[in-house]
Amino acid sequence: MSELLSEVRELDAADPLAGTRERFVLDDTVYLDGNSLGALPAHVPGAVEDVVRRQWGELRIRSWTESGWWTAPERVGDRIAPLVGAAPGQVVVGDSTSVNVFKAVVAAVRMAGEGRDEILVDASTFPTDGYVAESAARLTGCALRAVAPAEVPAALGARTAAVLLNHVDYRTGRLHDLPALTAAVHAAGAYAVWDLCHSAGALPVGLDRHGVDLAVGCTYKYLNGGPGSPAYLYVRRDLQDRFDSPLPGWNSHAEPFGMTAGYTPAAGAVRGRVGTPDILSLLALEAALDVWEGVEVAAVRAKSLALTDFFLRCVGEYLPAGRVESLTPVPHAERGSQVALRCADAGEVMKALIGRGVVGDFRAPDVLRFGFTPLYVGFADVERAARVLGEVVTERGCPHPA
């Protein structure tokens, strides 16, 4: 233990992101559930109070123009863009991830055109993505086929219209090969739709660099936008004129205040809008994104890998051999920013951890998830979490994983 504690001091002393921890509201708890809900940025309450008291309370309707409410979906989208490797004008914020998945998948099928009547979906996807893909398939008359991401290249064919994939597996933390899979989809003449919920804000994505067609993501995990904060939709610039949303609304109309009976889509990523934006949560997100000032995603990725490496080392030191099984890949190229440990009676183990000030996440039936948000998680947090985990499982005397 003394060797690990000595290393903690060295790692924390050399941490280039150590100062960003002060940008959040934190306590003595070790918070390793930022892959479910990010911590509160310290200045967000004041920003939200201004939105409520001054912009809404005093300016009222004038805030749509004077406070920039109307343009917020694109303005906030442009702030998210560099975090996912996109140039301005391609990301629009609004609605939920599920709604944006539906828009993207249906639009991809429509762009694919006649003769392409099959949608491939990640077999290990977050359930909602699967539900939405199934509904989109019925709506567009497509067949739906679930395949593992590694099997996508072999599954692609002349009938494939769209492929919906997760960048990081929400259960295991496995990072999928976005560049190679996107290239394979394009070689087959299909469109790639990526779900970035567990990667945006934790690692470089490179949407423009790798030619991704469409992408969606939430903002309440590593982007720290708050519970229920709006999601975003990325539409590659050269596809925007062809993007045919299945959910046209007055906010995506070329003349939204013309109130005409016929629909004419606006130019650009604005086509991804639907109805009136959720201003309170949208502007809370905008304030939350201030924590990224002066932060490079590459530095975040480097620290993320160092944190997860160190956690796995500490687990190996503090837990009896075979006591838990890591489901997260060891190679950096295959790892997101979380570690998933298979553990018998994992639900009860997580309750005990939370009771001792280490907050992670449980996924049925037997997975402990620990998310590492480099902006506010330090190496001392990592050592403490693994040490407390070792104490809990030893005291419980749980059986080894089957």
Side-chain angles (χ1 to χ4, degrees):
M1 180 184 298
S2 59
E3 181 180 340
L4 288 174
L5 290 175
S6 176
E7 188 169 348
V8 162
R9 289 189 286 271
E10 294 176 4
L11 289 168
D12 275 338
D15 179 6
L17 297 179
T20 60
R21 183 183 177 91
E22 300 172 357
R23 302 177 185 182
F24 294 86
V25 176
L26 298 167
D27 52 25
D28 292 334
T29 299
V30 176
Y31 188 65
L32 301 181
D33 206 7
N35 53 330
S36 292
L37 176 65
L40 172 66
H43 70 289
V44 166
V48 171
E49 182 178 15
D50 177 72
V51 172
V52 173
R53 293 189 179 278
R54 183 182 65 84
Q55 297 181 31
W56 179 14
E58 297 176 14
L59 295 179
R60 294 180 288 273
I61 196 71
R62 292 161 52 195
S63 276
W64 284 105
T65 53
E66 294 181 27
S67 299
W69 287 3
W70 184 259
T71 56
E74 298 83 62
R75 183 176 71 245
V76 180
D78 282 347
R79 295 193 63 182
I80 291 174
L83 301 179
V84 293
Q90 299 174 101
V91 179
V92 64
V93 177
D95 305 310
S96 67
T97 305
S98 302
V99 172
N100 285 324
V101 168
F102 180 74
K103 297 176 197 172
V105 172
V106 173
V109 173
R110 289 177 173 177
M111 288 190 291
E114 294 184 9
R116 292 188 175 267
D117 58 359
E118 180 183 68
I119 298 171
L120 301 183
V121 64
D122 185 340
S124 59
T125 191
F126 188 77
T128 294
D129 283 16
Y131 307 154
V132 171
E134 194 278 332
S135 179
R138 285 190 285 115
L139 178 71
T140 58
C142 285
L144 180 68
R145 189 151 53 109
V147 297
E151 298 170 354
V152 165
L156 291 163
R159 292 180 51 199
T160 308
V163 182
L164 172 61
L165 294 165
N166 289 267
H167 197 189
V168 173
D169 187 300
Y170 80 100
R171 291 186 185 88
T172 67
R174 176 179 290 276
L175 173 64
H176 297 301
D177 192 342
L178 181 148
L181 289 170
T182 299
V185 171
H186 288 169
Y191 290 87
V193 180
W194 284 93
D195 183 330
L196 309 178
C197 285
H198 287 268
S199 60
L203 53 90
V205 177
L207 293 180
D208 285 354
R209 177 184 177 189
H210 302 303
V212 170
D213 303 304
L214 302 161
V216 303
C218 65
T219 60
Y220 48 78
K221 301 184 191 295
Y222 297 109
L223 297 183
N224 311 296
S229 57
Y232 57 90
L233 169 68
Y234 164 87
V235 183
R236 200 177 71 216
R237 191 178 310 280
D238 63 312
L239 297 179
Q240 291 175 0
D241 288 345
R242 299 172 53 205
F243 181 80
D244 183 4
S245 174
L247 295 173
W250 77 286
N251 260 237
S252 61
H253 197 287
E255 296 182 13
F257 293 98
M259 303 301 171
T260 58
Y263 178 73
T264 303
V270 177
R271 291 186 178 203
R273 293 175 64 157
V274 183
T276 304
D278 297 320
I279 291 298
L280 297 183
S281 58
L282 180 57
L283 297 187
L285 166 62
E286 181 173 33
L289 292 171
D290 288 347
V291 301
W292 289 92
E293 183 177 353
V295 175
E296 295 291 334
V297 177
V300 171
R301 175 60 168 167
K303 183 177 176 182
S304 165
L305 291 172
L307 289 169
T308 50
D309 278 344
F310 190 57
F311 181 70
L312 289 170
R313 276 188 55 206
C314 291
V315 167
E317 289 283 339
Y318 292 148
L319 275 71
R323 191 60 184 76
V324 297
E325 174 192 356
S326 177
L327 302 178
T328 303
V330 172
H332 287 178
E334 299 175 16
R335 188 194 311 167
S337 198
Q338 74 176 53
V339 172
L341 301 177
R342 186 165 174 248
C343 174
D345 203 18
E348 294 303 314
V349 169
M350 184 54 69
K351 288 180 183 178
L353 282 174
I354 293 172
R356 299 191 190 193
V358 176
V359 179
D361 182 62
F362 163 66
R363 280 291 180 268
D366 58 2
V367 176
L368 301 169
R369 292 196 319 170
F370 301 95
F372 297 85
T373 305
L375 295 183
Y376 54 77
V377 173
F379 293 92
D381 297 320
V382 169
E383 187 277 334
R384 177 182 163 194
R387 177 162 35 87
V388 174
L389 174 60
E391 294 169 357
V392 167
V393 297
T394 298
E395 292 170 9
R396 291 184 59 79
C398 300
H400 290 187

